[in-house]
Amino acid sequence: MTTKQENRIWYKQPAAAWEEALPVGNGKLGAMVFGHPARERIALNEDSVWYGGPRDRNNPDALPNLGRIRELLKEGRLKEAEELSVMALSGVPETQRHYMPLGDLLLSFRYGTAEEASDYTRELDLAGGVASVSYTKGEARYSRETFASFPDEALVTRLTADRPGSVSFTARLARGRNRYYDEIAKADGSAIVMRGNCGGAGGSDFRAVLRAVAEGGTVSIVGEHLVVEGADSVTLLLTAATSFRHADPEQYAVQAGLKAAESDYESMKLRHIRDFAALAERASLRLGEESGEAGLPTDERLKRVQEGARDAGLIALYYQYGRYLLISSSRPGSLAANLQGIWNEHMLPPWDSKYTININAQMNYWPAEPGNLAECHEPLFDLIERMREPGRKTARAMYDCGGFVAHHNTDIWGDTAPQDLYLPATYWPMGAAWLCLHLWEHYEYGLDRDFLERAYPTMKEAARFFTDYLSETEDGLLVTNPSVSPENTYVLPNGESGTLCIGPAMDGQILHELFTACSEAAERLGIDEAERRQWRSCRERLPQPAIGKHGQLLEWMEDYDEAEPGHRHISHLFALHPGKRFTVRSTPEWAAAARVTLERRLANGGGHTGWSRAWIINFWARLEDGEKAFENVQALLGHSTLPNLLDNHPPFQIDGNFGGAAGISEMLLQSHAGEIHLLPALPSAWAEGEIRGVRTRGGFEADIRWSRGKLQEARIRASVDNDCTLRAGLPVTITEAGGGEIEAAAAQAETVLWPARAGREYIVRPL
């Protein structure tokens, strides 16, 4: 007897802190719902509310000093090179722009009784994208529902009671204790508008409009307050915009609210749920049979895991929550999900809540393609395009190179100059190269030639930078100089520590992937033969991965010790994940060295941040070690997950949610090695289960069902005509749905190969 996937997280009490509130979002508008019966706070975000405008931060002294920095590094004069780099290579000013909250919607309720609320429930429906609260106060039962509608471009809150005339409250908009807006004014008889500017030179204007639509009772505006008295039910519509997108953001926000108000609430809710569920329900995961934990509130379940218990259902819920968060923070037309997705309450947030592109922004999108949310990947592609022109200027101004380049951070404006004065991270020129691999990945999953034609020029331009930038060593190798291995520090034999270096392992691994992707893309498009030869030549001259004195993969070109052996970044395993070069079958020595590297990191306290632990899950999955991957899934939930299931760096940082969801998927299905591999890292704790609707490279979609740790059935659906190579780990038969058995050729041991056709489904069963 099996049960369908759980699709809600729920609690018996209101959120006492932001880290307990429930997130909703439509890509552009986000909110955190606290659910207090007397004084509700709904924390608001709009994705384009960023401090300041675009700037040219390229250091004019970079290029005149670049040659000197390179020579100092070659001569081993590390400290001199680092001191000069801080002065000459850093952006001026040193920081990019930062993300900010839109404000808060505050509701103060009036009841006819002083009794405390009872029978309280707060929940978030992950399939429909609706946060709800219900409780009893006196003789009335009160309910609230909040969702961020993509079709209606509004944050919608519905307040009802089962006794007529029982809904009375005062609503207001606030921002940073009322210090960070210009005014709140009456928009019309049932709406107020908050006006302000994001601040700084060139900062965008923002507007937020709150409209009340009441059934029964009255709506009035007193000063900055919207007052509702004696209503049967009320629908609040919050719309917002900035001049980043709209010449007149107030007109847009007012009109969006008026248009939404033309619909009745149930119609709006139905539109929203249909839109949201169309994405959320594409993929599902069930792990094990229904257990007693399924009836417990989510925070209680999480606490049990933190105390050492196992809860397979909570892991499946966590996977779906990762997909929920991506749908909610990254939709076509929105900005890319940042360090906090879209949900940020601080005027100056941790790490500026922008785009850290030495792993964090990329990790946000690891679940997009396999999780059947390909269109949610699009905002990242838009960000890359915004970076191209600034990146060209940075490439020429700093390095006198063609193409485009970015370092370890960017912002809403696509700023590509180095960020911070932080030696372990700032002077790393690989950000755009890594991001462009997402373009290739999107193509590999869908095989959409039209997309490849659009994406290829961007990939080519990223590669062009490095054909100009790479330096030749005495041995004829091509290396980056200067660079760093994010964000680690090495120790020289004399005890001196350093970060700036020549040719760190990660750089070579990223460039191997980029040159390969560009070459394959050009070949598929039938163009740029000369560039293909150049990329292949450059690829062959990159430093090869090397193994050190401990049996570990080298992070730098020399076998240095690490200042922090348990460091959160494990950059030199890029080729294992998200790269594709290291596999247990094609490169067993490098895979074994990757295992040693992971074991050493973990033995020294690695995985202590949420996103790092999530990356480690993916590493173990690629090494096909289900038990180790499972241990780290448990650790992610047990040590790095907040009560509302958001990732805890600490503080909150959303990449761990996305990386964790991707890692769970990677344990059950992989497609990076030229084949679809079913259940590659299945742990014994997940002996029974089913995953549906997951995508693979090559244009396929899969459902997998297993029992007692063994495959029971898989269904493979082809979206294009393509040969399908499948690894099941045991002999299988292939049958076309509605047809006969397929003659499948053995590609190699434990794999089968057959020509799949678009629109057809193939059933895989053990012999």
Side-chain angles (χ1 to χ4, degrees), residues 505-513 545 571-576 582:
M506 186 188 218
D507 291 11
Q509 292 173 18
I510 291 174
L511 289 176
H512 187 279
E513 299 272 345
S571 302
H572 46 315
L573 297 193
F574 177 92
L576 179 64
F582 295 173

Side-chain angles (χ1 to χ4, degrees), residues 145-168:
E145 293 181 331
T146 299
F147 57 85
S149 170
F150 182 78
D152 285 303
E153 300 187 271
L155 179 73
V156 182
T157 298
R158 175 73 162 176
L159 307 103
T160 62
D162 63 3
R163 294 176 67 87
S166 297
V167 180
S168 298

Side-chain angles (χ1 to χ4, degrees), residues 604-747:
N604 287 280
H608 48 281
T609 66
W611 66 263
S612 180
R613 182 71 69 179
W615 200 6
I616 290 167
I617 296 166
N618 286 273
F619 286 143
W620 285 122
R622 286 284 177 91
L623 290 172
E624 300 180 16
D625 192 326
E627 302 310 317
K628 289 288 189 183
F630 174 74
E631 286 177 20
N632 285 277
V633 172
Q634 287 286 101
L636 180 63
L637 286 169
H639 302 289
S640 299
T641 300
L642 294 162
N644 58 6
L645 297 190
L646 289 177
D647 174 65
N648 196 15
H649 179 280
F652 159 58
Q653 194 169 293
I654 205 167
D655 38 25
N657 287 104
F658 295 132
I664 293 165
S665 176
E666 202 77 13
M667 293 166 71
L668 302 174
L669 181 69
Q670 295 178 15
S671 64
H672 61 288
E675 60 189 24
I676 297 173
H677 191 173
L678 306 178
L679 307 178
L682 182 69
S684 58
W686 301 349
E688 314 280 339
E690 183 175 26
I691 189 166
R692 290 179 173 271
V694 284
R695 296 172 72 238
T696 78
R697 294 167 181 85
F700 300 103
E701 183 180 300
D703 304 337
I704 312 169
R705 179 167 52 85
W706 66 94
S707 179
R708 298 181 181 178
K710 301 291 184 182
L711 174 70
Q712 294 297 299
E713 180 183 276
R715 290 177 177 257
I716 309 296
R717 292 176 291 278
S719 63
V720 296
D721 290 347
N722 195 17
D723 287 347
C724 183
T725 303
L726 183 136
R727 178 180 295 275
L730 74 174
V732 296
T733 62
I734 312 295
T735 305
E736 185 176 334
E741 187 170 331
I742 301 291
E743 288 229 12

Side-chain angles (χ1 to χ4, degrees), residues 326 329-338 355-357 359-366 368-369 373-388 404 410 431-432 434-442 451 458:
L326 188 58
S329 62
S330 186
R331 295 289 294 270
S334 80
L335 297 180
N338 61 47
Y355 304 105
T356 303
I357 54 175
I359 184 172
N360 312 92
Q362 289 92 335
M363 183 180 283
N364 285 1
Y365 288 91
W366 288 355
E369 300 296 333
L373 298 172
E375 58 268 71
C376 294
H377 216 160
E378 292 177 16
L380 184 68
F381 307 153
D382 295 340
L383 175 63
I384 297 169
E385 289 307 300
R386 278 200 304 282
M387 294 169 65
R388 283 177 76 182
F404 85 113
T410 190
W434 186 348
L435 284 173
C436 284
L437 291 175
H438 280 254
L439 298 167
W440 179 241
E441 180 181 78
H442 183 74
F451 174 80
T458 306

Side-chain angles (χ1 to χ4, degrees), residues 151 216-217 220 222 243 361 367 390 394 450 489 506 549 602 623 657 731:
S220 61
V222 181
S243 54
T394 297
D450 289 343
T489 299
M506 186 188 218
K549 59 194 174 190
L602 288 165
L623 290 172
N657 287 104

Side-chain angles (χ1 to χ4, degrees), residues 415-434:
D415 193 328
T416 53
Q419 155 78 20
D420 296 330
L421 305 177
Y422 182 48
L423 280 164
T426 297
Y427 314 105
W428 182 73
M430 306 303 299
W434 186 348

